[in-house]
Amino acid sequence: MSDLLANLNPEQLAAVTLPPQHALILAGAGSGKTRVLTTRIAWLISTGQVSPHGVLAVTFTNKASKEMLARLSSMLPINTRGMWIGTFHGLCNRLLRAHFRDAGLPALFQILDSSDQLSAIKRLLKNLNVDDEKFPPRELASFINAHKEQGIRAAQAEAYDEYTSRRVGLYAEYEAQCQREGVVDFAELLLRSYELLQRNEPLRRHYQERFRHILVDEFQDTNRLQYAWLKLLAGRDGAVHTPNGACLFAVGDDDQSIYAFRGAEVGNMRDLEREFKVENVIRLEQNYRSHGNILDAANALIKNNRGRLGKNLWTDAGAGESIRVFEGFSDIDEARFVVDEARELVRDGFVRTQIALLYRSNAQSRVLEHQLFTAGVPYRVYGGLRFFDRQEIKHALAYLRLIGNPDDDTAFSRVVNFPTRGIGSRSIEALQEAAHRNNSSLYNAAASLAGKAGTAVGGFIRLIETLRTETENLPLPEVIDHLIEKSGLRQHYLGEKEGRERLENLDELINAATNFLQEESDTLANPAEANPLASFLSHASLEAGEHQAGEGQEAVQLMTVHAAKGLEFDVVFITGLEQGLFPHDNAAQERDGLEEERRLMYVAVTRARKRLYLSHAQTRMLHGQTRFCVPSSFLEELPEELLRRVNRAPAYTATAPSRTATPAASSGQTSANGLRIGQNVEHAKFGLGVIVSAEGRGAEARVQVNFGAHGMKWLALEYAKLTPV
């Protein structure tokens, strides 16, 4: 027993050894909550307070439940295989399998994953002859799942307009189809399980008497239906009340509630405290992950949120290093600093896998990926795809490839019916046969198709020809912008639940083309010698296929802040800290949106163990145009004494973005940096040049250099390496 409780701090010990009663454990980031949860189960079993079969433990990921079972096995000489420890979906599946008849399901009912559900909805719309452009399948799936997560069946759903009424009707048809086919989607698992327990009193009492202790991890991420399910099992569901119900032991952190877009209700924590009359709210505030300065910054930031349950993280590991803040002139400059710094860290002994580059939006990864690629640094995008591997980017590139080469069958096959334009598999098969027969490309074979298939494919051919004609004399970024619009890609993604993120990626593709032209201006200066479109497509292919870290290879980690939750790293870079980006523009449109963004920033900060970098840029490419940025309000909320400014970019003024802040020096005048107008200098990338103008002083000093073939460049002397010749 002493071994079980050894090395627990006073708060952890108090939580683990609580008497049988309801409890809320406010566990801060890095405070050892998983250890507390697991040790609590082991202590209850080892002291004879409950048998292994009397415990119900809920986690949010399969990984977490497996880890919990493994820890329990090492703590106690028991067989954990029969224990009810798992995710909400896993436990509900187990319940429905055991009582399938009572639940109105076949014995071998199948579970639809997200893609299966989407396919089922598409099939339903086709069978009912419903226009899938007016009722996009993804949007309808989100509508159905959102209602189920609120515990609302189609029969109870409210509709205040004709469009919603039609969606409710389709929800009812979808329910009937699933019941007929003996399948359930993820949201149905929980709803069907809840309804089974609610209406079947003998079954409900059986499980209420069986599970004496219910333990829940990441309680701040529960939605309304999950909380209702827990209340039902604990004997606290409104009219259904069991005096001697189970003890509910909830562990969570309201400051890390960042999944409102998935239906998570941070208010469940307050509801639990009130409805269960929780007398024991224990705060785990000692952090075992981060140094003091990082925690002080996190505390200062999150205290700006209203209605917190309240806690203050601390550590005995010492203050550690100051938080480094970098202000770049542009997003490229910011990315270059991050990558250079990451390389220096590796040289200093840090392991690549312990360096994380975080960003608010997926589209931000592109400029970071490009710099990593250029520098030859292996990287891995955690929990997502690399920029040029993303579906929407591949679609846009396929259209570009067809404009350049209509005989590209791979590109043709990818987008001939995307967005959907009524070209079915039979039409494609007929086209492939015609191409094979005539020994031609799919594009050229289209002319030989007759009937409905010929008309549908002919429409696509005309689209490509029109795109080619309309973009013939346009610059590359405008070509991409035009085809995104005219191909229907933009309109298609506007109707998707995750469409905003995909549209941000498509806009970033325009930025990628703009940056590519700037970087390669020397080779593309003469259109007769090079084709910008072909060069860019080659660049995209090379960048997509290079520097992907192999299995087991050390690599820098790239991820969104959402994907970083639950992870920790020695070094963390939080990039793009600008208004509109982080906090995101969306926050202003949603109730408590800014507070959710601040919790997200709190999560990002608390991922760092030893060193934290915060970076932002004065200018950022948006839709192929330079946008002037305002630093994130979150930076202002951090105590200045915790920060170390590693540089300050030369400042643009709001009224004079055209470099007029300081008069240029006259010919022959020496600048503060020892350089003069007319002096020859050498640059590592642009080669030999001559200084033609200068402005600013000290950290804000800049020079304009004529590099001949590379053109005129403005360079900040603070970080541009110019060698006098």
Side-chain angles (χ1 to χ4, degrees):
M1 187 60 59
S2 59
D3 290 344
L4 203 61
L5 303 178
N7 302 317
L8 295 175
N9 67 39
E11 290 76 24
Q12 290 174 332
L13 182 65
V16 166
T17 58
L18 270 176
Q21 56 192 217
H22 306 304
L24 178 60
I25 312 300
L26 290 178
S31 62
K33 67 178 175 63
T34 307
R35 183 186 183 194
V36 165
L37 207 58
T38 312
T39 310
R40 169 73 173 170
I41 297 171
W43 185 76
L44 288 169
I45 294 171
S46 62
T47 54
Q49 296 183 62
V50 69
S51 74
H53 299 293
V55 173
L56 178 75
V58 189
T59 64
F60 262 80
T61 64
N62 287 314
K63 182 185 174 187
S65 59
K66 286 175 182 174
E67 185 183 334
M68 189 175 287
L69 287 166
R71 288 196 188 188
L72 277 173
S73 296
S74 66
M75 288 176 166
L76 296 174
I78 59 170
N79 184 359
T80 58
R81 285 180 65 89
M83 292 184 70
W84 282 62
I85 296 178
T87 62
F88 279 104
H89 291 131
L91 294 170
C92 288
N93 176 52
R94 185 169 175 178
L95 183 70
L96 293 175
R97 295 284 176 197
H99 308 283
F100 64 90
R101 285 194 187 87
D102 293 319
L105 291 168
L108 298 175
F109 68 85
Q110 298 300 306
I111 299 171
L112 301 177
D113 62 20
S114 300
S115 61
D116 292 334
Q117 184 189 26
L118 197 60
S119 298
I121 289 173
K122 286 177 179 175
R123 183 159 40 84
L124 174 78
L125 295 175
K126 190 175 181 181
N127 292 341
L128 295 173
N129 228 3
V130 175
D131 185 356
D132 63 1
E133 289 193 4
K134 192 173 180 182
F135 297 94
R138 286 187 187 277
E139 193 178 285
L140 186 56
S142 300
F143 175 82
I144 292 169
N145 293 337
H147 276 76
K148 286 187 178 185
E149 286 167 3
Q150 293 290 323
I152 302 168
R153 289 285 182 197
Q156 292 96 45
E158 294 180 346
Y160 299 103
D161 56 66
E162 190 178 335
Y163 182 69
T164 308
S165 179
R166 185 72 175 113
R167 287 199 294 179
V168 170
L170 291 170
Y171 176 14
E173 292 284 355
Y174 171 75
E175 281 186 319
Q177 175 180 288
C178 289
Q179 188 65 33
R180 191 168 56 248
E181 296 175 3
V183 296
V184 297
D185 54 47
F186 282 144
E188 183 70 21
L189 281 171
L190 190 64
L191 181 53
R192 187 71 67 108
S193 173
Y194 174 76
E195 290 172 342
L196 170 65
L197 291 171
Q198 191 178 47
R199 70 168 181 266
N200 192 323
E201 188 179 353
L203 194 65
R204 181 177 67 249
R205 289 200 178 278
H206 165 76
Y207 282 104
Q208 286 175 342
E209 288 168 9
R210 172 177 177 170
F211 298 126
R212 307 312 304 151
H213 288 270
I214 300 173
L215 303 96
V216 190
D217 195 12
E218 305 287 6
F219 190 78
Q220 78 278 353
D221 293 335
T222 53
N223 61 34
R224 283 296 177 195
L225 185 58
Q226 288 164 341
Y227 181 46
W229 185 81
L230 289 168
K231 285 202 294 182
L232 200 58
L233 279 171
R236 287 281 180 139
D237 191 54
V240 182
H241 180 66
T242 307
N244 299 314
C247 297
L248 187 58
F249 185 92
V251 181
D253 183 2
D254 57 326
D255 292 333
Q256 293 190 75
S257 180
I258 59 172
Y259 295 121
F261 65 96
R262 290 184 192 168
E265 289 277 355
V266 67
N268 285 349
M269 299 187 80
R270 285 203 175 277
D271 290 348
L272 172 78
E273 191 178 1
R274 185 186 69 256
E275 293 172 359
F276 283 79
K277 297 180 172 58
V278 175
E279 296 175 3
N280 287 292
V281 178
I282 295 175
R283 289 168 171 79
L284 304 182
E285 298 175 309
Q286 185 173 359
N287 178 282
Y288 295 93
R289 176 187 300 160
S290 309
H291 286 151
N293 284 340
I294 295 169
L295 297 181
D296 289 346
N299 290 330
L301 179 81
I302 203 65
K303 75 178 183 185
N304 291 285
N305 273 9
R306 298 168 287 107
R308 295 172 60 228
L309 293 167
K311 64 183 177 314
N312 203 59
L313 298 179
W314 63 276
T315 182
D316 56 11
E321 300 178 30
S322 297
I323 296 165
R324 292 160 170 84
V325 181
F326 176 83
E327 180 182 16
F329 171 61
S330 66
D331 50 350
I332 296 171
D333 182 39
E334 178 194 26
R336 194 176 291 128
F337 165 79
V338 169
V339 173
D340 287 348
E341 197 71 14
R343 292 170 76 185
E344 285 297 322
L345 288 164
V346 172
R347 290 193 196 101
D348 292 344
F350 285 91
V351 182
R352 278 200 196 98
T353 51
Q354 286 299 320
I355 300 173
L357 279 48
L358 308 187
Y359 35 84
R360 174 63 180 86
S361 170
N362 256 311
Q364 292 170 252
S365 79
R366 202 275 314 167
V367 67
L368 291 168
E369 286 186 59
H370 178 64
Q371 290 301 326
L372 288 162
F373 164 79
T374 305
V377 178
Y379 69 91
R380 187 175 289 109
V381 179
Y382 182 91
L385 294 168
R386 290 152 29 107
F387 183 78
F388 285 108
D389 290 335
R390 293 167 191 166
Q391 178 208 85
E392 58 279 14
I393 300 300
K394 282 182 168 289
H395 287 329
L397 291 175
Y399 278 104
L400 277 176
R401 285 161 59 184
L402 282 177
I403 289 174
N405 174 20
D407 295 328
D408 187 334
D409 283 357
T410 305
F412 186 98
S413 300
R414 183 174 190 93
V415 293
V416 65
N417 196 40
F418 192 93
T420 52
R421 45 180 66 90
I423 303 172
S425 54
R426 288 185 181 176
S427 299
I428 302 294
E429 285 171 13
L431 184 62
Q432 288 170 337
E433 287 171 9
H436 183 71
R437 199 166 49 247
N438 300 329
N439 194 26
S440 72
S441 66
L442 295 173
Y443 195 90
N444 289 328
S448 63
L449 278 187
K452 187 181 175 184
T455 305
V457 176
F460 176 67
I461 299 296
R462 284 191 296 277
L463 170 67
I464 298 300
E465 291 297 334
T466 304
L467 286 173
R468 185 183 292 110
T469 304
E470 291 176 345
T471 59
E472 197 170 4
N473 298 312
L474 293 178
L476 182 59
E478 291 182 33
V479 171
I480 297 172
D481 191 19
H482 188 78
L483 77 83
I484 290 171
E485 200 68 47
K486 297 296 182 182
S487 66
L489 285 175
R490 187 175 299 280
Q491 193 59 39
H492 172 80
Y493 289 122
L494 277 171
E496 282 196 359
K497 183 184 179 184
E498 299 173 358
R500 183 180 177 100
E501 191 170 284
R502 295 193 187 278
L503 288 170
E504 285 176 353
N505 285 331
L506 287 172
D507 285 341
E508 188 58 36
L509 185 64
I510 301 169
N511 300 340
T514 307
N515 291 335
F516 173 76
L517 291 180
Q518 289 173 352
E519 290 180 5
E520 304 297 322
S521 58
D522 55 331
T523 58
L524 301 178
N526 186 353
E529 295 176 7
N531 182 326
L533 175 58
S535 299
F536 179 68
L537 288 170
S538 299
H539 160 79
S541 299
L542 288 169
E543 198 155 312
E546 296 278 330
H547 294 295
Q548 182 159 7
E551 199 64 38
Q553 184 184 0
E554 280 189 9
V556 173
Q557 308 294 305
L558 272 70
M559 66 195 77
T560 63
V561 181
H562 279 104
K565 188 167 181 288
L567 304 175
E568 55 186 67
F569 304 92
D570 285 342
V571 182
V572 169
F573 292 83
I574 307 173
T575 62
L577 282 167
E578 298 136 29
Q579 289 297 110
L581 199 54
F582 199 3
H584 203 278
D585 271 333
N586 288 356
Q589 303 163 19
E590 297 167 9
R591 183 172 171 267
D592 297 328
L594 183 60
E595 297 213 346
E596 175 105 350
E597 289 289 299
R598 191 175 284 111
R599 289 196 291 269
L600 196 56
M601 180 67 179
Y602 176 83
V603 167
V605 168
T606 54
R607 296 312 92 196
R609 283 196 286 256
K610 297 177 181 177
R611 192 179 287 190
L612 177 63
Y613 291 84
L614 309 176
S615 65
H616 62 104
Q618 288 189 353
T619 64
R620 190 171 293 275
M621 197 74 74
L622 186 70
H623 209 76
Q625 302 293 317
T626 299
R627 182 182 78 174
F628 292 86
C629 307
V630 176
S632 170
S633 56
F634 297 152
L635 288 168
E636 297 173 9
E637 295 174 1
L638 302 178
E640 192 63 36
E641 63 270 18
L642 301 177
L643 310 179
R644 193 177 103 202
R645 309 276 175 179
V646 293
N647 93 312
R648 182 165 293 280
Y652 274 121
T653 64
T655 55
S658 57
R659 308 183 181 98
T660 57
T662 308
S666 59
S667 181
Q669 184 179 345
T670 303
S671 75
N673 298 71
L675 299 172
R676 57 180 173 78
I677 293 172
Q679 188 173 8
N680 291 320
V681 290
E682 192 161 10
H683 187 272
K685 181 177 179 180
F686 303 120
L688 191 66
V690 60
I691 297 175
V692 296
S693 185
E695 63 181 28
R697 299 182 181 279
E700 295 184 3
R702 296 154 59 94
V703 293
Q704 188 180 32
V705 184
N706 186 346
F707 289 105
H710 289 274
M712 303 282 270
K713 308 283 185 187
W714 277 96
L715 302 171
L717 292 178
E718 188 173 12
Y719 48 88
K721 298 198 170 37
L722 293 175
T723 308
V725 177

